[in-house]
Amino acid sequence: MCCFVAPMAEAIVTTVTTIVLEQTDKSAKQGADLQVATKKQAICKNLKVLSKMLWGGSVLLAFEHVWHGELQAFYPFLTAASSPEAMSQMWHEVATVGTSMAGLVTVAWAALMAVRSKFHKAVPAEVEARK
């Protein structure tokens, strides 16, 4: 019905968070606090990966819903939003299936970042230059 809404909402939150962190990172670079700046850069880079994973999954799910005729180009856009009974079922699907998919993507991302940090201990160039 519209299970892609939950991962899309998480993707919006992570994208906005990334943008805000990047904006604050620019001010940290100007303040000569390079360690804080490089830590924020790493967080931004990791959040961008999560955002891309969530946006990709949401777009594919939306395409699948268009394919099956569950999304339409005119109001109310979702075929399930045409009746109160169908809306109840739609919200149940968002709460169960959608949040499960978003959680699974987030867990997969966390596992990917854990494996990456275990095997990739790169030292930023700015920190290395200080030594």
Side-chain angles (χ1 to χ4, degrees), residues 83-118:
S83 70
E85 296 85 24
M87 281 190 70
S88 173
Q89 186 180 4
M90 176 185 76
W91 288 118
H92 182 265
E93 182 181 309
V94 170
T96 57
V97 177
T99 55
S100 298
M101 287 188 301
L104 182 64
V105 169
T106 305
V107 167
W109 168 78
L112 177 70
M113 292 300 117
V115 169
R116 182 177 168 199
S117 69
K118 183 169 179 78

Side-chain angles (χ1 to χ4, degrees), residues 48-59:
K48 281 183 181 178
V49 172
L50 177 60
S51 292
K52 288 176 184 175
M53 290 171 69
L54 289 167
W55 279 116
S58 298
V59 168

Side-chain angles (χ1 to χ4, degrees), residues 5-85:
V5 171
M8 187 178 289
E10 187 179 346
I12 291 169
V13 169
T14 57
T15 302
V16 169
T17 303
T18 304
I19 291 170
V20 168
L21 283 175
E22 285 177 343
Q23 293 299 321
T24 57
D25 186 42
K26 288 178 184 173
S27 62
K29 281 181 183 175
Q30 294 170 351
D33 195 2
L34 289 177
Q35 275 198 318
V36 173
T38 55
K39 196 170 195 172
K40 282 186 179 179
Q41 285 176 346
I43 292 171
C44 288
K45 188 176 177 182
N46 292 340
L47 277 178
K48 281 183 181 178
V49 172
L50 177 60
S51 292
K52 288 176 184 175
M53 290 171 69
L54 289 167
W55 279 116
S58 298
V59 168
L60 284 175
L61 280 171
F63 177 73
E64 186 266 339
H65 284 66
V66 168
W67 187 270
H68 287 106
E70 296 173 345
L71 286 175
Q72 52 195 6
F74 47 87
Y75 186 79
F77 305 110
L78 301 167
T79 56
S82 59
S83 70
E85 296 85 24

